């Protein structure tokens, strides 16, 4: 086997991102990692590439040689290239310059021309855009640059984190076709991808990652046709059937921990009641209509209920005389004026009020109002003597 990961773990402080992950990738094989957001997929790739910021434990082997604790640049030298999420290309450099930067390692420089020809064969558009600034390219073209730059490192394993992120369906289809061509050249491909349907269509095997643990794995064809996988990752209507994943057997090349007793998905229950108007209303529509028709019929008014007789020994409180507004002359005059105004409004006539004038007594002094006017501009010029002289307009 080419890439072998055994009991890989990673943690960011107190948060455990990976716990005992064991996977492997062979030469010319495409392996896809499926999982929800936050399952630890990106952390897995970064830990393999030596770029994880957290505490990493476990063993990583490439062709039998250990890579645990090896610096990231040395891991690239050994034969693992990583295309991170977001591409990570140099936007201000040209396409050709980006590709050449991928061949900085010693063993890659020896096969630089051969690898460049292979990249141009897979992505002919990059040959045409060699002098174009990378940031002016479309998202799909930038992804080609990122993959081509990784291939210029002459890797044995190519790892890609969400390569189809932000691409149109047409560009996604073209991307996955190119990944199949890359695998045909003998490179092993480890792929993390949210587009489970297209990634499983080109993959050889798949692993299911949930909460930092591998919960199952199987051939890609089996996972693609599994109802539980369809319900969890492909938007299908899976039933209560458990996914057809297989645990790793001792003595075989599959080193994933046994997962036969743990399902990786929680399928939707098939017995869930459908939402209907009867369920929402609490009773059937016919019953509601019948009750509405019954209540809408004219009914005889019920006799007013008699007030209960006071209990023995109870003395009622003395009634308070209500306040009469017509006894107050001010309120009476106000009501009359309101009534008169209402009559005038109904008849269309408007009540014209006499203009109010302010009368002042001889002793009363009116406030002074100061009027500010903009001062005129004055122009000065320095004369021959050096003094300022006013210029008359």
């Amino acid at each position: 086997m080419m890439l072998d990961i055994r009991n890989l773990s990673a943690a960011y402080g107190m948060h455990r991102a990976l716990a005992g992950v064991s996977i492997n990738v062979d030469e010319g094989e495409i392996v896809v990692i499926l999982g929800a957001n936050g399952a630890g997929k990106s952390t897995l790739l970064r830990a393999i590439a030596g770029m994880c910021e957290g505490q990493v434990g476990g063993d990583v082997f490439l062709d039998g040689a250990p890579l645990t604790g090896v610096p990231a640049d040395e891991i690239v030298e050994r034969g693992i290239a990583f295309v991170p999420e977001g591409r990570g290309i140099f936007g201000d450099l040209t396409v050709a310059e980006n590709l050449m930067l991928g061949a900085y390692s010693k063993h890659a420089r020896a096969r630089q021309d051969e690898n460049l020809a292979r990249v141009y064969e897979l992505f002919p558009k990059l040959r045409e855009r060699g002098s174009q600034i990378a940031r002016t390219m479309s998202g799909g073209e930038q992804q080609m640059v990122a993959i081509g730059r990784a291939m210029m490192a002459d890797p044995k394993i190519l790892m890609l984190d969400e390569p189809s992120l932000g691409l149109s369906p047409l560009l996604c289809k073209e991307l996955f076709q190119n990944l199949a061509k890359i695998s045909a050249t003998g490179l092993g491909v480890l792929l993390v991808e949210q587009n489970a349907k297209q990634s499983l269509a080109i993959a050889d095997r798949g692993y299911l990652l949930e909460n930092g643990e591998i919960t199952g794995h199987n051939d890609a064809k089996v996972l693609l046709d599994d109802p539980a996988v369809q319900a969890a990752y492909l938007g299908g209507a899976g039933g209560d059937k458990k996914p057809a994943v297989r645990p790793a057997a001792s003595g075989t090349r599959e080193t994933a921990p046994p997962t036969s007793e743990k399902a990786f998905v929680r399928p939707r229950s098939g017995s869930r009641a459908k939402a209907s108007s009867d369920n929402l209303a609490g009773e059937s529509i016919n019953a509601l209509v019948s009750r509405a028709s019954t209540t809408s019929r004219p009914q005889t008014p019920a006799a007013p209920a008699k007030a209960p007789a006071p209990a023995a020994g109870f003395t009622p409180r003395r009634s308070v005389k209500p306040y009469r507004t017509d006894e107050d002359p001010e309120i009476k005059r106000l009501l009359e004026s309101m009534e008169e105004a209402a009559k005038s409004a109904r008849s269309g006539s408007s009540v014209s009020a006499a203009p109010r004038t302010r009368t002042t007594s001889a002793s009363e002094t009116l406030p002074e109002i100061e009027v500010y006017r903009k001062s005129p501009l004055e122009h000065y010029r320095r004369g021959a003597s050096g003094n300022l002289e006013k210029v008359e307009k």
Side-chain angles (χ1 to χ4, degrees):
M1 78 184 54
M2 188 177 295
L3 179 64
D4 186 15
I5 293 98
R6 303 175 188 173
N7 298 319
L8 189 65
S9 62
Y12 300 96
M14 299 297 294
H15 173 67
R16 186 191 68 174
L18 296 175
V21 173
S22 298
I23 64 174
N24 53 73
V25 183
D26 284 340
E27 181 180 356
E29 186 180 36
I30 299 180
V31 176
V32 61
I33 307 294
L34 298 179
N37 289 333
K41 304 185 300 297
S42 297
T43 299
L44 173 60
L45 297 189
R46 297 182 70 86
I48 297 172
M51 299 173 59
C52 183
E53 297 85 358
Q55 299 82 36
V56 179
D59 298 310
V60 178
F61 298 92
L62 182 64
D63 289 338
L67 296 181
T68 307
V70 177
D73 57 336
E74 181 64 23
I75 291 177
V76 176
E77 188 81 28
R78 300 268 187 99
I80 296 181
F82 178 40
V83 180
E85 180 181 349
R87 307 176 186 103
I89 63 175
F90 297 95
D92 292 331
L93 301 182
T94 64
V95 172
E97 290 170 342
N98 272 274
L99 295 178
M100 289 299 104
L101 284 175
Y104 75 94
S105 61
K106 295 178 181 178
H107 82 279
R109 284 197 294 268
R111 301 183 56 188
Q112 175 178 312
D113 296 337
E114 181 181 347
N115 290 328
L116 184 61
R118 182 170 60 170
V119 170
Y120 285 156
E121 182 180 357
L122 289 170
F123 306 110
K125 189 173 294 186
L126 297 185
R127 185 194 300 270
E128 305 169 1
R129 307 289 183 88
S131 59
Q132 183 173 346
I133 300 299
R135 60 180 167 81
T136 64
M137 306 179 75
S138 66
E141 293 167 344
Q142 291 184 21
Q143 191 63 266
M144 295 179 190
V145 175
I147 297 175
R149 184 185 60 186
M151 292 180 61
M152 288 295 294
D154 195 28
K156 300 176 183 177
I157 297 292
L158 179 63
M159 300 192 305
L160 301 101
D161 189 3
E162 302 285 358
S164 70
L165 187 65
L167 302 185
S168 66
L170 184 61
L171 290 177
C172 284
K173 182 179 179 181
E174 182 180 353
L175 170 68
F176 286 111
Q177 289 175 351
N178 289 327
L179 292 180
K181 294 178 182 178
I182 292 173
S183 174
T185 62
L187 266 70
V189 178
L190 182 57
L191 176 65
V192 164
E193 181 56 56
Q194 287 283 359
N195 193 334
K197 187 173 182 180
Q198 292 198 29
S199 59
L200 286 175
I202 65 167
D204 298 289
R205 292 185 297 115
Y207 287 86
L208 311 174
L209 186 64
E210 181 181 5
N211 295 329
E213 299 180 3
I214 295 293
T215 56
H217 72 283
N218 212 322
D219 293 337
K221 175 62 176 169
V222 177
L223 294 177
L224 187 60
D225 297 334
D226 189 88
V229 176
Q230 293 176 1
Y233 302 106
L234 305 178
D240 294 331
K241 180 182 176 182
K242 291 186 177 181
V245 297
R246 64 182 183 223
S250 58
T252 63
R253 69 181 182 88
E254 293 141 357
T255 57
T259 57
S260 58
E261 297 181 357
K262 181 177 180 181
F264 77 99
V265 293
R266 297 166 180 83
R268 305 170 185 169
S269 174
S271 60
R272 182 181 296 175
K274 296 181 178 179
S276 64
S277 57
D278 294 349
N279 296 335
L280 297 176
E283 57 182 315
S284 65
I285 299 301
N286 294 333
L288 289 173
V289 174
S290 176
R291 184 154 58 85
S293 60
T294 303
T295 56
S296 61
R297 296 172 184 171
Q299 299 179 357
T300 57
K306 295 182 179 180
F314 174 76
T315 304
R317 298 178 65 182
R318 185 180 60 180
S319 60
V320 180
K321 182 179 179 182
Y323 177 77
R324 296 178 58 86
T325 57
D326 54 355
E327 295 179 356
D328 192 332
E330 289 293 334
I331 296 180
K332 185 176 181 181
R333 185 163 53 253
L334 178 62
L335 293 176
E336 289 177 353
S337 63
M338 293 173 62
E339 184 178 359
E340 181 180 357
K343 290 180 181 179
S344 301
R346 285 194 296 269
S347 62
S349 60
S350 59
V351 180
S352 59
R356 300 177 62 183
T357 59
R358 177 181 175 86
T359 59
T360 59
S361 60
S363 62
E364 183 179 2
T365 58
L366 295 177
E368 295 182 0
I369 301 177
E370 297 181 1
V371 178
Y372 293 92
R373 295 182 179 178
K374 186 176 180 181
S375 59
L377 294 178
E378 296 180 354
H379 299 267
Y380 291 85
R381 177 183 301 167
R382 189 173 299 276
S385 61
N387 298 327
L388 295 178
E389 301 175 357
K390 187 175 181 181
V391 179
E392 301 293 339
K393 290 188 176 180

